[in-house]
Amino acid sequence: MKKIITLLAVVGMFSVQSCTTTTDTNYVDNDTIAEVFELKNINFAYNATDGYTIYQKFTPNIYASDVVLIYRLSGTIDSNTPVWQLIPRTLFLNQGELDYDFDFSKEDFTIYAGGNYDLSLTPQYLNNQTFRIVIVPGSFSASFDTSNYAAVISALNINESQIQKINF
């Protein structure tokens, strides 16, 4: 009887060790999906408390562990090659310094434009602006150069057709 129990125990151990799991690369896990939103032709609004801002809610909310990166369209090389700059960013203009910055929570984000001069003198930096908001899942462990928009989008496996455009 002891030999049979021992034999069953050994067979059981081998059968448990031989179990494998497969990784399905097509598995969709809703808390690890990267997203990109484009705010196109948007104007900064001014109020005396916050200065020049762009405010948007996330619908639905993002996860508390997610990270937000925001890029500003600073120009184009040609009609198919936009130039994206990561913010925060300081531009050194003839009028003075112009700063773009942002903050975010799981519910919303605000983009700020500020400077050491009267920003209304340079409306081209406040009106008809285009931004891309990239939501990076908190569980994303790969390292990439966040200042390089193309590298971020490539690392997150996002193509241009997946970018949700929001026009104002």
Side-chain angles (χ1 to χ4, degrees):
M1 184 70 170
K2 281 185 177 183
K3 289 182 181 182
I4 293 176
I5 292 175
T6 304
L7 178 63
L8 288 175
V10 169
V11 170
M13 285 177 30
F14 281 117
S15 66
V16 169
Q17 283 184 333
S18 66
C19 290
T20 61
T21 60
T22 58
T23 302
D24 182 0
T25 57
N26 294 324
Y27 174 72
V28 176
D29 184 357
N30 288 329
D31 65 344
T32 57
I33 295 175
E35 293 182 279
V36 180
F37 300 93
E38 182 174 287
L39 303 175
K40 190 170 182 147
N41 298 325
I42 189 166
N43 298 332
F44 282 87
Y46 180 81
N47 71 56
T49 305
D50 299 319
Y52 290 96
T53 62
I54 296 169
Y55 173 81
Q56 283 287 304
K57 286 190 165 282
F58 287 120
T59 307
N61 291 350
I62 63 173
Y63 291 90
S65 61
D66 288 348
V67 175
V68 173
L69 301 172
I70 298 182
Y71 298 85
R72 178 182 165 268
L73 180 64
S74 65
T76 58
I77 294 173
D78 57 44
S79 62
N80 295 320
T81 312
V83 178
W84 296 102
Q85 291 182 330
L86 179 66
I87 61 174
R89 183 71 163 193
T90 300
L91 303 179
F92 300 97
L93 309 172
N94 291 334
Q95 296 83 354
E97 292 181 14
L98 169 64
D99 298 307
Y100 292 107
D101 203 352
F102 74 99
D103 63 30
F104 73 95
S105 71
K106 68 179 187 169
E107 298 173 2
D108 58 17
F109 66 89
T110 304
I111 303 171
Y112 301 93
N116 61 6
Y117 69 96
D118 179 2
L119 297 186
S120 68
L121 298 174
T122 53
Q124 67 270 29
Y125 294 100
L126 301 173
N127 299 325
N128 298 315
Q129 297 296 301
T130 299
F131 294 93
R132 287 207 172 159
I133 292 76
V134 180
I135 301 170
V136 180
S139 61
F140 194 79
S141 60
S143 63
F144 48 83
D145 179 7
T146 59
S147 68
N148 183 335
Y149 173 78
V152 171
I153 296 306
S154 177
L156 296 173
N157 199 25
I158 294 175
N159 63 49
E160 197 68 24
S161 67
Q162 294 172 298
I163 297 172
Q164 301 174 45
K165 302 203 186 303
I166 304 169
N167 293 316
F168 290 86

